[in-house]
Amino acid sequence: MGHLRQTVFERNVPARSVVDHALSTTRQAVFWQDDLGDSPALPALSAPVRADVAVVGAGFAGLWTALRARQRDPGARVVLIEGRTAGWSASGRGVGFCGTRLAHGGGADAEERAALARLGHENLAAMGAAVAELGLDCQWERAGVVDLAVEPHQIDWLQDAAAAAARAGVPHTLLDRAKLRAEIASPTYEAGLVRPDDVALVHPARLAAGLVRAAGELGVEIFEHTRVTRLTPPGRGTGGDVVLHTTSPAGEAEVRADRVVLTTGAFPPLLRRYRRHTVPVYGYAVATEPLSADLLGAVGWRGRQGLTDLANQAHRYRLTSDDRIVFGGYDAVHPYGGRLHRAHENRPGSSRRLAEHLLTTFPQLEGVRLSHRWAVVADTPTRPGPFFAQTAGGRVQHVAGFGGAGAAAAHFAAHVVLDRFGVLDGGPQTERTTLGAVRRVPAPYPPEPVASAGLRAVGRALDRADHHHGRRGALLRSLDALGLGRDL
C-alpha cells in the first residue's frame, strides 16, 4: 500500500483544551429521547390473545407494518409486541436521515436499479404524505442532502456522480470549493454534490411516538415490556396458528396469529436460520447545545440540508429544530460474537473523536459544549440494504438488515411484507415483491471466530483506503466483485 497519508481530521486536530471544554458537561443520553420526554405507558401482555396479524418489534419497521396493516384492512386485529418500549433502540437514536435509497443495487440490472431509484422517491413522498395525514409531530423537513468531498481524490467521485445524475435528468448540483464554502463555511470542504430531493430530516423519537399514537388510534393493540421467547410454526397442537410465546412482568402468555411479521433489528432473530445473516454494529453520535444566531451565521448552512462526507468511515450530520448540530458516524464497532451489552454504548474515545472531528469541520464552534453523547446499534447484513425472508409458507415474514438506514427503508419494508401477505391470499405479485433485491437473501456471515476476524480485517482495509487516496485494496476489491460489503 505504500505510505499512508493523513486525513483532514488528522492534519487539523483541535487543541486538547478546546475538546476538553466541549465535552466538559456532556451527558451519556440520547438527545432525541431526552427532547421527546416521557411517553404514555402502554400495558404489558397479561393474557392470551388471538390476532390476524402479529408484529414483533416496535421500531420503525414494526410500527409502519402494524399501522399500514390496519389501513389496508380496518377489520383485522393487529397486535404489536415490544420487549421494552416503542422506538427505544435504533429507531429512536439515529441521526434522522430519511433517504431514497432502499436497497443495494449490486447484482441488479439497469432496469431494476432504475426501479429501485423511482420506488425510493415514491416511498419518501408517501412517508411525507403520511406524516401530514396522520398529524405526526416529528419535525419533518424535506431538506435534501449534500455529499461532501473532504479530500481531493473524492472530487472525482462527485464529478462522476454529477455526470450520472445529469444523464438521468436528476436535479443534482455540483459545487466547487469556493461555492460550497460560501454556503457552508467549513475549511474541510473541497466540493459538494447537492441532492435536494433525496433526503428528508426527521426527529426519530418523535416519529416513533407519533406512529405509536396513530397506530393506536387506528386500532392496533400495542404491548410493551413483553418479550417473545420463541415461535412455534403451524402444526400439531397449534390449531393451525403461528404461536408466539411471551413473557412479561404480568406473566407468560401466548399470541396466536394467522400471520406474523418479525422486525427485531439487531437483536437475535426468532428464526434461528437467520441468526448469522446480520451482525450488530455500534455507531456513535454527539449533539451540541443550541447554537446562537451569531454562530449559525458564522457557519452558514441556511439550507439546513443533511451533510455526509464520502469517506468509508463517513460522518453524517444535521441541524435540529432548536439549532443544535447532531454529528455521528466514523467509528463502527462490532462486539465479538455479536453480543449486545450496555457497556458498548459508553465509549468515551469514540465520543472524543467525534468532538474532535466536529471542531475540525467547524472551528467556529470553539467554546460550544456538547450536551449529549450516545450509541446506536444497527443490524448489518453482508449486502447493504434490508433483506426479506419467510417461513411457514409465507405466513411468517422476517425483515432485517437495515444497517442504520432504516428510517425510510422501514416504511418500504412494511409494504413489502404486506404485499406478500396479499399474494398469500391469492392476490397478484406487485412490483415490490418481484424485485431481485427483495427476493434475494444475502449470504450469512461465517461462524465465530472467523466472523469477528473478518470484520476487523474489513475495518482495517476501509481505514487504509481512506488514508490512501480512496484506493481499495485486494480484500475490498474481492468483496466488491462478490457484491458483498458493509456500510460502516
Side-chain angles (χ1 to χ4, degrees), residues 15-34:
R16 171 175 285 276
S17 60
V18 173
V19 180
D20 288 343
H21 176 81
L23 292 168
S24 60
T25 58
T26 306
R27 294 191 305 112
Q28 176 72 25
V30 182
F31 163 69
W32 306 114
Q33 295 174 4
D34 267 8

Side-chain angles (χ1 to χ4, degrees), residues 51-98:
D52 296 297
V53 178
V55 182
V56 182
F60 287 144
L63 288 164
W64 279 117
T65 299
L67 185 149
R68 292 303 196 188
R70 280 288 294 190
Q71 287 181 324
R72 291 192 184 199
D73 183 0
R77 186 175 189 184
V78 179
V79 171
L80 177 57
I81 306 296
E82 166 56 44
R84 292 185 63 172
T85 57
W88 78 274
S89 189
S91 295
R93 295 173 178 237
V95 173
F97 281 37
C98 294

Side-chain angles (χ1 to χ4, degrees), residues 468-488:
H468 205 268
H469 306 284
R471 296 172 190 161
R472 297 170 77 80
L475 174 59
L476 296 182
R477 292 197 303 271
S478 298
L479 293 175
D480 293 341
L482 292 170
L484 303 176
R486 299 197 295 124
D487 293 335
L488 292 177

Side-chain angles (χ1 to χ4, degrees), residues 159-392:
Q159 291 172 337
D160 291 345
R167 289 193 296 270
V170 177
H172 295 175
T173 302
L174 184 64
L175 301 179
D176 63 19
R177 176 198 287 187
K179 289 180 179 178
L180 178 57
R181 293 186 185 185
E183 290 200 16
I184 309 171
S186 171
T188 67
Y189 296 168
E190 300 292 337
L193 184 65
V194 182
R195 298 188 284 127
D197 298 326
D198 288 2
V199 166
L201 301 178
V202 71
H203 187 306
R206 287 182 179 269
L207 176 58
L211 290 171
V212 168
R213 175 193 58 77
E217 290 174 353
L218 286 170
V220 175
E221 300 169 59
I222 305 175
F223 298 97
E224 293 184 330
H225 301 290
T226 302
R227 186 167 62 91
V228 180
T229 56
R230 60 189 176 94
L231 178 152
T232 302
R236 183 176 299 177
T238 70
D241 295 326
V242 182
V243 182
L244 300 173
H245 306 265
T246 77
T247 183
S248 76
E252 296 182 354
E254 290 182 350
V255 177
R256 291 177 171 265
D258 184 57
R259 312 284 166 87
V260 168
V261 183
L262 306 176
T263 65
T264 52
F267 295 88
L270 290 165
L271 301 180
R272 295 185 63 88
R273 70 187 71 174
Y274 299 115
R275 289 195 174 178
R276 289 198 287 113
H277 280 72
T278 61
V279 295
V281 174
Y282 284 86
Y284 301 89
V286 296
T288 69
E289 61 191 2
L291 304 185
S292 68
D294 287 345
L295 273 177
L296 282 172
V299 171
W301 205 352
R302 288 177 291 277
R304 299 181 61 84
Q305 306 97 326
L307 304 176
T308 182
D309 62 51
L310 296 184
N312 291 304
Q313 295 173 299
H315 306 84
R316 304 176 87 189
Y317 43 116
R318 46 80 59 89
L319 288 166
T320 65
S321 65
D322 62 347
D323 294 325
R324 301 170 189 262
I325 296 176
V326 171
F327 191 85
Y330 194 78
D331 277 351
V333 177
H334 166 64
Y336 181 85
R339 297 185 183 94
L340 302 178
H341 196 279
R342 188 182 298 271
H344 300 308
E345 298 188 8
N346 184 10
R347 282 179 61 91
S350 293
S351 300
R352 185 175 190 89
R353 192 170 296 113
L354 285 174
E356 291 173 348
H357 292 185
L358 173 59
L359 289 162
T360 296
T361 303
F362 296 122
Q364 310 92 305
L365 300 184
E366 182 176 337
V368 169
R369 287 187 169 92
L370 302 181
S371 60
H372 296 75
R373 59 186 177 93
W374 69 95
V376 56
V377 61
D379 51 327
T380 307
T382 53
R383 179 196 73 207
F387 72 90
F388 303 85
Q390 53 190 342
T391 191

